[in-house]
């Protein structure tokens, strides 16, 4: 049995020589659902076990990955734990406040947030400095969190659409509240600019609001094909002004943020199947440095990359540009492992981090095989 | 209170050399004696002045233990034993004893011949030093002297690496050296039993890392080799004869087979002889499972790997060559390097650390122009790749080891306290033990609470149990009377009578007598009865008897009443008690001096 696993590993690893430029495989003590950049070189992970003490770690990327010139002279392939702390209870979401050493977390089943100091040079301990109260008590899904890009430490949070507020972290004062009548569970919350926010609902509708204005947010209905039991996840890209919505049946719809009412720009039926009822782990995200590309994780043990520029206006099946199968292949239970999170590197076009339910964390820089083979160019970066 | 003292020798924050002093139960032990590879002067040696300002170390140390053959753990050993002076025992495992002198000699040659240094140990010193070595087997307890015993455990990491358990009386310390907790391909993972040492000493260097998998390092190696071969380049891999070479060969062989590659792979002949020697050492060192793998595939029966002849270096086309020595400082690997360095299609892969002064060290620091003998310069155009394959524990590994050994205290050396607060907190929280982090040169004193085991005689135990009362609670101390006999190395607790018997002594009894005067108009027997009633009401829970012979007994205390001859109302109470009832006796005499209460009947 163990030998078979080793063989599969061998095959995938040998294949990996061609399909990845860089590949790093790590094993954390406990799985993480959090992969949050705190700088171009540091990323936070956190445990979500139900036991009372979960670790929050800030990791420095391996030097070898970051080295550009003289990469060959650097042998350092390990993560360095630069800061660490303990949370009482699970950490399901973590957001770094840009320009600060502050982070905000949520446990996934209440609406309150914990505020942390990630620590500086003089200490390696991540300390809790306070909390931010949410709107209601006892919400099941927990609050989504978005950090305001400007340097004022403010955080947008809420679990339901009628409960989204922007809170000033230091004073706890509510600066803005989303004025919406209906109460829909949220699957995402983002700032696309310093003042425009996008809230994605699990049912598929989108709310866009300008926090400088008291006016009600613009509402965009779920895609026409949506049904009662279907769940939706969203990501908005600030650079391309595009929005993508992905359903639990694998339908992906791309829209223009500025013209949400104008219908989809393109769509596709992705090569995935919904697994179980645990929808907490699905993530869809636009690549920050690779035009038109998205990454999808949480449906299986793989992370898939799609090129949306190949999609049409009518719903057709599409295949991924690339699939990272590393978590499935190296897990002890290949069928049981699920990806829990992924994150694109903010600058390196094809570098991603991914995490899975068995505690594995991978860092990979993939090669665009189809471009290499057909001789055509990559999507422009 | 008994205590154990631990001092990492060295100065300030510098890492890179291991040498730790432990004082336990009156014994002084030196753990490792490493050289700091970054310095060229005396700072590379550990600071022995901590032990003694001048003179030899023999009388100050009971033994020296070396964990494995890496120079940052044994590099200063010949200097310490032959130049500073130490004639006592030096312990290390068999493979370490076999490999150490080879590495030390190589190192000496580079430092003296290449760099022209003078204050360094000689070849003869290395030999003399190794004569003092006593080899250790795994899991075998060795008595260094009557009181000090040591035991080696498997550490993984490199061939022959050991963790060591040191015991004096009921105090003990475990030193890990370098180890790894995830099994390496051929070395396995470290293992130790639940020995519960007072202190577990480990390096903090890797404690805050999360290691990339071994397979990814191997992947990178294969990728680089493959890329060079594909473009027609030649790959040179300088290796130390007794190290990773065999493992890398097996890797390439499997890869070549899988990918159906045709480019030749060569292994220089100097390696083959030494490799067989290594193979024998290795086979006796590893466990059953790994031994079986090696028996199934003998190292040097490769399909794709052939013996090298130096004329092959000029053959056109791609090839891979493993050659010694490992740091490109001399011999065949340097010769080949000189031939191939000028072609950018070629590659050199350095699989390990290179000592200062070697070509390996220079090219790993980015030098692209090298000065060779006769003032000739060599342009380094080929690709230089530095890869580290050594297996180390990381943050998770340390926690696993603590779980295995269950130490009472944890001690991490070579770390900056400020950068380790989180790990310290994590250890303290998960295991409820103290975690110490001394700076170099700083002594940590750990108070121990050794239990002293004492045999108790069955009679004494039965007697104590027969006294009745609640069942013994191991958490509550219980006072008992007995005699502690120390005979040879054992301790025995027996009843006093048995002790006297064994010693052939008679027991002497000590009895106190006291007279108390009391005014009481009753008759003597009545007074006695009143005393009896009074005592019964005051001393509840005690055995009080009114005996027919005209006495009252409280436990073993006897009270008699008689009247004064002059005045029948003045009663004289005679109290008598034995030494054992001293407390009760004096209490009674004080009580009765106060007189009897009037309401008694």
């Amino acid at each position: 049995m163990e030998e078979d696993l080793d063989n599969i590993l061998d095959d995938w690893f040998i294949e990996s020589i061609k399909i990845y430029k860089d590949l790093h495989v790590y094993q954390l003590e406990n799985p993480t659902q959090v992969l949050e950049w705190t700088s171009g070189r540091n990323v936070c992970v956190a445990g979500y076990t139900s036991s009372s003490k979960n670790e929050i770690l800030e990791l420095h990327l391996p030097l070898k990955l970051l080295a550009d010139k003289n990469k060959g002279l650097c042998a350092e392939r390990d993560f360095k734990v630069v800061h660490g702390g303990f949370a009482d209870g699970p950490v399901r979401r973590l957001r770094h406040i840009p320009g600060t050493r502050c982070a905000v977390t949520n446990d996934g089943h209440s609406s309150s947030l914990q505020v942390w100091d990630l620590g500086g040079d003089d200490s390696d301990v991540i300390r809790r400095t306070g909390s931010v109260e949410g709107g209601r008590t006892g919400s099941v899904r927990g609050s989504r969190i978005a950090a305001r890009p400007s340097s004022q430490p403010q955080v947008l949070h809420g679990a339901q659409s009628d409960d989204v507020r922007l809170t000033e972290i230091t004073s706890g004062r509510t600066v803005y509240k989303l004025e919406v009548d209906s109460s829909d569970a949220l699957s995402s919350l983002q700032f696309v600019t310093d003042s425009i926010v996008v809230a994605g609902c699990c049912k598929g509708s989108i709310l866009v609001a300008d926090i400088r204005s008291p006016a009600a947010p613009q509402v965009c209905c779920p895609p026409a094909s949506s049904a009662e039991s279907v769940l939706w996840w969203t990501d908005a890209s600030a650079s391309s002004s595009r929005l993508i919505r992905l359903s639990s049946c694998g339908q992906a719809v791309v829209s223009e943020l500025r013209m949400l009412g104008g219908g989809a720009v393109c769509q596709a039926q992705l090569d995935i199947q919904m697994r179980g009822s645990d929808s907490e782990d699905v993530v869809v995200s636009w690549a920050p440095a690779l035009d038109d590309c998205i990454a999808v994780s949480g449906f299986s043990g793989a992370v898939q990359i799609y090129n949306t520029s190949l999609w049409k206006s009518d719903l057709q099946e599409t295949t991924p540009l690339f699939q990272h199968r590393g978590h499935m292949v190296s897990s002890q239970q290949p069928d049981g492992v699920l990806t829990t999170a992924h994150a694109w590197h903010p600058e390196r076009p094809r570098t991603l981090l991914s995490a899975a339910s068995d505690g594995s964390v991978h860092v990979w820089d993939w090669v665009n095989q189809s471009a290499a083979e057909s001789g055509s160019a990559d999507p422009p970066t | 209170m008994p205590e154990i003292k631990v001092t990492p020798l060295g100065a300030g924050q510098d890492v890179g050399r291991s040498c730790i002093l432990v004082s336990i139960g009156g014994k002084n032990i030196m753990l490792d004696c490493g050289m700091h590879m970054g310095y060229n002067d005396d700072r590379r040696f550990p600071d022995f002045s901590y032990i003694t300002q001048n003179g030899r170390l023999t009388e100050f140390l009971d033994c020296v233990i070396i964990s494995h053959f890496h120079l940052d753990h044994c590099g200063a050993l010949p200097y310490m034993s032959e130049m500073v002076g130490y004639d006592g025992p030096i312990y290390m495992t068999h493979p370490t004893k076999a490999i150490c002198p080879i590495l030390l000699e190589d190192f000496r040659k580079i430092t003296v011949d290449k760099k022209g240094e003078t204050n360094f140990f000689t070849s003869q010193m290395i030999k003399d030093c190794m004569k003092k070595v006593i080899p250790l087997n795994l899991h075998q307890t060795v008595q260094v002297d009557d009181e000090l015993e040591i035991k080696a455990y498997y550490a993984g990491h490199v061939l022959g690496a050991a963790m060591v358990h040191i015991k004096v009386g009921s105090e003990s310390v475990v030193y890990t050296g370098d180890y790894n907790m995830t099994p390496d391909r051929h070395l396995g993972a470290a293992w130790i039993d639940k020995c519960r040492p007072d202190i577990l000493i480990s390096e903090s260097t890797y404690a805050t890392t999360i290691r990339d998998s071994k397979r990814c390092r191997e992947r990178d190696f294969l990728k680089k080799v493959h890329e060079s071969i594909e473009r027609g380049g030649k790959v040179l891999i300088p290796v130390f004869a007794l190290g990773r070479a065999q493992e890398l060969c097996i890797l390439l062989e499997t890869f070549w087979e899988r990918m159906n590659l045709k480019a030749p792979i060569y292994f220089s002949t100097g390696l083959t002889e030494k490799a067989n020697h290594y193979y024998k050492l290795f086979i006796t060192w590893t466990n059953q499972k790994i031994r079986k793998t090696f028996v199934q595939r003998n190292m040097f029966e490769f399909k794709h790997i052939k013996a090298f002849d130096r004329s092959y270096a000029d053959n056109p086309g791609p090839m891979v060559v493993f050659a010694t020595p490992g740091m490109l400082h001399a011999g065949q690997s340097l010769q080949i390097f000189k031939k191939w360095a000028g072609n950018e299609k070629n590659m050199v892969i350095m699989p390990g650390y290179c000592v200062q002064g070697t070509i390996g060290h220079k090219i790993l620091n980015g030098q692209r122009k090298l000065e060779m003998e006769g003032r000739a310069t060599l342009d380094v155009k080929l690709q230089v790749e530095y890869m580290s394959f050594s297996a180390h524990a990381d943050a998770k590994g340390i926690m696993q080891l603590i779980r295995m050994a269950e130490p009472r205290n944890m001690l991490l050396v070579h770390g900056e306290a400020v950068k380790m607060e989180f790990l310290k907190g994590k250890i303290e929280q998960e295991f409820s033990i103290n975690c110490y982090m001394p700076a170099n040169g700083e002594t940590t004193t750990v108070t121990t609470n050794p239990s002293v085991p004492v045999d108790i005689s069955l009679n004494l135990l039965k007697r104590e149990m027969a006294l009745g009362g609640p069942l013994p609670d191991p958490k509550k101390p219980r006072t008992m009377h007995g005699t502690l006999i120390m005979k040879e190395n054992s301790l025995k607790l027996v009843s006093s009578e048995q002790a006297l018997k064994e010693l052939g002594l008679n027991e002497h009894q000590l009895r106190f007598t006291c007279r108390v005067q009391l005014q009481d108009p009753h008759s003597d027997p009545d007074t006695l009865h009143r005393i009896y009633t009074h005592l019964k009401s005051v001393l509840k829970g005690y055995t009080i008897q009114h005996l027919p012979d005209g006495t009252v007994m409280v436990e073993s205390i006897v009270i008699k009443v008689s009247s004064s001859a002059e005045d029948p109302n003045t009663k004289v109470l005679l109290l008598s008690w034995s030494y054992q009832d001293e407390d009760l006796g004096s209490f009674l005499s004080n009580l009765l001096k106060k007189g009897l209460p009037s309401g008694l009947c």
Side-chain angles (χ1 to χ4, degrees):
Chain A
M1 251 309 139
E2 228 187 76
E3 269 169 48
D4 289 331
L5 214 59
D6 266 330
N7 276 335
I8 300 171
L9 202 58
D10 271 357
D11 281 342
W12 181 73
F13 261 97
I14 289 185
E15 193 199 355
S16 76
I17 290 174
K18 279 251 140 56
I19 66 177
Y20 297 92
K21 246 177 67 189
D22 284 315
L23 178 65
H24 296 253
V25 166
Y26 303 93
Q27 188 64 37
L28 299 178
E29 284 179 76
N30 286 304
T32 181
Q33 206 182 340
V34 165
L35 282 174
E36 173 82 350
W37 295 101
T38 55
S39 75
R41 307 175 157 245
N42 291 343
V43 67
C44 273
V45 296
Y48 57 86
T49 68
S50 50
S51 84
S52 58
K53 288 288 181 200
N54 281 283
E55 284 179 10
I56 301 177
L57 302 175
E58 187 185 19
L59 308 174
H60 187 100
L61 284 185
L63 296 174
K64 193 172 180 81
L65 186 75
L66 300 173
D68 281 315
K69 319 183 300 171
N70 291 337
K71 203 177 168 90
L73 300 183
C74 181
E76 195 51 70
R77 301 183 62 95
D78 303 332
F79 269 141
K80 187 104 180 89
V81 179
V82 285
H83 293 94
F86 291 100
D88 299 317
V91 177
R92 290 263 174 199
R93 281 144 217 161
L94 188 150
R95 277 282 165 255
H96 170 240
I97 312 294
T100 71
R101 286 298 291 160
C102 177
V104 177
T105 63
N106 176 261
D107 60 9
H109 52 70
S110 71
S111 62
S112 63
L113 310 177
Q114 292 77 47
V115 184
W116 304 82
D117 173 11
L118 294 173
D121 289 329
D122 55 345
S123 159
D124 74 330
V125 175
I126 296 177
R127 270 176 244 277
R128 171 118 177 243
T129 53
S131 59
V132 169
E133 284 316 303
R136 59 188 62 175
T137 52
S139 41
V140 172
R141 283 180 183 281
S143 288
R144 301 283 163 179
I145 318 172
R148 192 159 182 195
S150 73
S151 55
Q152 312 163 47
Q154 289 176 357
V155 71
L156 187 73
H157 57 110
Q160 304 283 116
S161 54
D162 61 340
D163 193 36
V164 175
R165 58 191 64 203
L166 181 66
T167 307
E168 206 173 64
I169 295 178
T170 35
S171 64
R173 193 168 65 91
T174 302
V175 167
Y176 168 85
K177 226 184 144 329
L178 198 67
E179 292 303 332
V180 156
D181 291 325
S182 59
S183 181
D184 291 319
L186 293 179
S187 62
S188 72
L189 208 52
Q190 290 173 268
F191 277 90
V192 279
T193 68
D194 195 51
S195 38
I196 309 284
V197 301
V198 172
C201 300
C202 294
K203 291 228 174 86
S205 49
I206 301 291
L207 306 163
V208 183
D210 185 331
I211 60 169
R212 296 166 298 188
S213 144
Q218 182 195 357
V219 179
C220 170
C221 294
S225 50
S226 186
E228 195 49 48
S229 57
V230 172
L231 297 169
W232 292 85
W233 297 273
T234 307
D235 189 38
S237 163
S239 54
S240 68
S241 276
R242 287 202 163 171
L243 184 91
I244 183 158
R245 278 176 284 183
L246 174 64
S247 80
S248 47
C249 310
Q251 184 192 356
V253 179
V254 178
S255 318
E256 282 287 341
L257 260 181
R258 283 183 265 265
M259 293 193 314
L260 281 178
V265 166
C266 59
Q267 56 181 321
Q269 179 60 41
L270 303 190
D271 184 17
I272 49 182
Q273 60 220 101
M274 185 62 195
R275 298 179 57 141
S277 55
D278 190 345
S279 53
E280 284 303 311
D281 295 346
V282 171
V283 183
V284 59
S285 66
W286 288 101
L290 198 61
D291 286 359
D292 302 322
C293 284
I294 57 156
V296 176
S297 70
F299 285 93
S300 67
V303 180
Q304 297 177 320
I305 315 281
Y306 289 91
N307 181 356
T308 62
S309 67
L310 302 173
W311 296 0
K312 312 271 186 278
S313 53
D314 58 320
L315 191 64
Q316 285 182 24
E317 280 182 3
T318 183
T319 50
L321 185 59
F322 185 83
Q323 271 210 105
H324 175 68
R325 291 171 39 247
H327 295 284
M328 287 157 49
V329 164
S330 39
S331 165
Q332 297 295 348
Q333 340 131 273
D335 290 322
V337 77
L338 263 184
T339 43
T340 53
H342 74 259
W344 290 88
H345 190 281
E347 285 132 40
R348 298 163 61 103
R350 263 170 243 88
T351 302
L352 282 101
L353 269 65
S354 56
S357 53
D358 61 353
S360 55
V361 171
H362 295 181
V363 185
W364 36 286
D365 188 348
W366 53 282
V367 170
N368 190 347
Q369 285 290 91
S370 53
E373 280 159 21
S374 67
S376 62
D378 240 342
T381 58
Chain B
M1 288 299 290
E3 55 195 27
I4 302 177
K5 289 191 160 80
V6 180
T7 312
L9 292 188
Q13 300 298 336
D14 69 6
V15 194
R17 166 227 301 114
S18 293
C19 185
I20 301 165
L21 283 185
V22 173
S23 286
I24 172 175
K27 305 286 172 187
N28 292 331
I29 299 132
M30 180 183 285
L31 299 171
D32 280 340
C33 191
M35 179 83 80
H36 195 306
M37 312 308 279
Y39 292 120
N40 286 327
D41 51 27
D42 281 354
R43 285 175 299 176
R44 61 181 154 203
F45 301 122
D47 185 9
F48 299 119
S49 66
Y50 179 83
I51 306 171
T52 173
Q53 288 293 326
N54 43 40
R56 305 177 69 79
L57 302 173
T58 314
E59 59 185 275
F60 296 95
L61 291 174
D62 292 279
C63 73
V64 173
I65 306 175
I66 303 292
S67 64
H68 63 290
F69 62 65
H70 278 155
L71 290 172
D72 55 341
H73 289 259
C74 73
L77 189 63
Y79 169 80
M80 193 267 304
S81 71
E82 307 311 305
M83 292 170 85
V84 179
Y86 170 74
D87 298 313
I90 301 174
Y91 291 95
M92 58 181 81
T93 60
H94 285 274
T96 311
K97 183 177 178 194
I99 299 172
C100 249
I102 304 172
L103 270 174
L104 287 169
E105 180 54 33
D106 260 357
F107 179 46
R108 187 207 67 76
K109 262 207 282 249
I110 295 169
T111 310
V112 172
D113 300 346
K114 293 279 161 196
K115 291 162 73 192
E117 292 206 24
T118 45
N119 185 30
F120 212 74
F121 48 82
T122 63
S123 293
Q124 187 57 45
M125 286 180 187
I126 297 174
K127 294 194 179 94
D128 292 337
C129 171
M130 296 312 289
K131 286 192 193 125
K132 299 169 185 172
V133 170
I134 302 174
L136 295 170
N137 287 318
L138 286 178
H139 306 159
Q140 190 188 59
T141 304
V142 170
Q143 294 288 141
V144 176
D145 60 33
D146 285 342
E147 289 146 314
L148 170 61
E149 57 183 58
I150 62 178
K151 183 154 87 166
Y153 287 91
Y154 190 79
H157 186 54
V158 290
L159 177 58
M163 305 190 290
V164 68
H165 182 258
I166 298 151
K167 193 155 107 119
V168 179
S170 54
E171 288 177 299
S172 63
V173 159
V174 168
Y175 170 59
T176 64
D178 284 341
Y179 63 103
N180 59 283
M181 295 304 289
T182 39
D184 201 323
R185 226 182 226 277
H186 306 111
L187 285 172
W191 180 85
I192 193 165
D193 48 20
K194 232 187 256 300
C195 52
R196 302 213 171 100
D198 288 289
I199 312 177
L200 177 62
I201 303 174
S202 187
E203 288 279 330
S204 62
T205 332
Y206 296 98
T208 48
T209 59
I210 299 181
R211 297 264 315 156
D212 186 16
S213 71
K214 182 80 191 287
R215 295 299 264 125
C216 281
R217 289 167 209 273
E218 293 176 343
R219 175 201 169 265
D220 204 33
F221 170 70
L222 293 175
K223 185 171 177 0
K224 294 281 160 19
V225 172
H226 192 223
E227 278 168 2
S228 296
I229 297 295
E230 291 233 290
R231 63 175 181 238
K234 298 172 164 55
V235 183
L236 171 65
I237 308 173
V239 285
F240 173 59
L242 308 179
R244 300 261 158 208
Q246 291 76 10
E247 210 177 282
L248 296 177
C249 279
I250 294 177
L251 208 54
L252 275 189
E253 164 94 348
T254 323
F255 187 61
W256 248 239
E257 185 72 26
R258 183 70 63 89
M259 306 287 279
N260 201 19
L261 297 173
K262 301 292 177 217
I265 309 176
Y266 297 114
F267 200 78
S268 78
T269 42
L271 276 170
T272 324
E273 301 128 27
K274 298 224 179 79
N276 283 330
H277 174 45
Y278 173 84
Y279 178 69
K280 285 195 204 116
L281 273 178
F282 192 72
I283 281 298
T284 52
W285 175 253
T286 61
N287 62 32
Q288 268 305 100
K289 178 168 171 240
I290 293 175
R291 209 175 293 181
K292 255 169 62 181
T293 325
F294 267 89
V295 165
Q296 277 162 19
R297 67 171 327 147
N298 181 319
M299 302 229 217
F300 294 97
E301 281 165 14
F302 288 125
K303 264 174 68 182
H304 303 275
I305 307 184
K306 307 275 173 268
F308 186 68
D309 181 278
R310 54 196 229 192
S311 61
Y312 298 173
D314 298 315
N315 288 357
M319 71 173 83
V320 181
V321 177
F322 288 88
T324 53
M327 301 186 245
L328 287 179
H329 50 284
Q332 190 164 70
S333 61
L334 183 58
Q335 270 178 24
I336 300 171
F337 177 77
K338 284 191 217 171
K339 281 190 200 255
W340 295 357
N343 189 336
E344 63 220 2
K345 279 201 251 174
N346 295 341
M347 179 185 281
V348 64
I349 298 180
M350 309 296 298
Y353 178 78
C354 292
V355 159
Q356 253 191 48
T358 57
I359 303 266
H361 189 263
K362 292 186 179 135
I363 61 173
L364 285 180
N365 276 346
Q367 228 176 301
R368 300 302 275 178
K369 271 191 177 5
L370 298 170
E371 215 181 83
M372 313 300 296
E373 301 92 52
R375 301 192 150 252
T377 34
L378 182 67
D379 270 325
V380 179
K381 294 213 180 110
L382 85 178
Q383 206 173 320
V384 178
E385 290 286 331
Y386 184 19
M387 299 194 182
S388 161
F389 291 98
S390 62
H392 280 281
D394 59 2
K396 186 165 78 139
I398 286 200
M399 303 303 275
Q400 282 172 310
L401 188 68
I402 299 176
R403 239 166 255 137
M404 251 191 203
E406 288 191 13
R408 284 171 238 264
N409 296 280
M410 187 67 204
L411 192 139
L412 293 167
V413 294
H414 295 149
E416 281 180 63
V418 141
K419 302 271 165 75
M420 309 285 298
E421 217 188 305
F422 169 63
L423 180 66
K424 179 168 143 78
K426 187 168 144 152
I427 291 173
E428 285 175 349
Q429 176 185 264
E430 179 160 340
F431 301 110
S432 302
I433 61 175
N434 283 325
C435 180
Y436 300 93
M437 290 162 163
N440 286 335
E442 186 189 311
T443 302
T444 300
T445 306
V446 177
T447 310
T448 56
N449 198 3
S451 51
V452 182
V454 173
D455 289 329
I456 181 170
S457 84
L458 201 55
N459 280 337
L460 190 59
L461 197 58
K462 281 188 185 160
R463 183 208 296 185
E464 287 301 313
M465 299 205 41
L467 280 179
L471 282 172
D473 180 352
K475 299 219 169 95
K476 279 204 187 135
R478 187 169 158 138
T479 317
M480 61 193 322
H481 268 133
T483 310
L484 188 68
I485 302 182
M486 286 172 64
K487 215 173 182 174
E488 284 142 14
N489 273 333
S490 68
L491 293 161
K492 216 165 43 154
L493 191 66
V494 299
S495 65
S496 309
E497 300 85 27
Q498 193 177 331
L500 288 166
K501 202 162 117 188
E502 276 191 38
L503 294 166
L505 293 172
N506 286 326
E507 188 174 0
H508 288 70
Q509 293 283 341
L510 210 59
R511 249 191 127 72
F512 296 94
T513 318
C514 158
R515 283 184 166 73
V516 176
Q517 278 201 342
L518 205 58
Q519 291 299 112
D520 195 272
H522 300 90
S523 67
D524 287 356
D526 283 347
T527 306
L528 190 66
H529 187 77
R530 292 184 71 209
I531 290 169
Y532 171 69
T533 316
H534 176 49
L535 291 180
K536 262 208 106 71
S537 75
V538 173
L539 295 174
K540 295 187 171 54
Y542 283 85
T543 314
I544 305 179
Q545 299 164 291
H546 188 169
L547 297 176
D549 66 356
T551 61
V552 165
M553 275 194 73
V554 182
E555 301 291 331
S556 70
I557 300 168
V558 180
I559 306 174
K560 284 199 181 119
V561 175
S562 56
S563 307
S564 148
E566 297 87 25
D567 171 20
N569 284 346
T570 304
K571 305 287 183 231
V572 175
L573 305 180
L574 191 72
L575 278 77
S576 165
W577 61 85
S578 68
Y579 175 66
Q580 276 84 343
D581 289 323
E582 160 72 27
D583 286 338
L584 187 57
S586 47
F587 172 78
L588 276 180
S589 74
N590 283 331
L591 176 70
L592 293 172
K593 276 185 189 141
K594 291 184 190 147
L596 296 171
S598 43
L600 282 174
C601 49

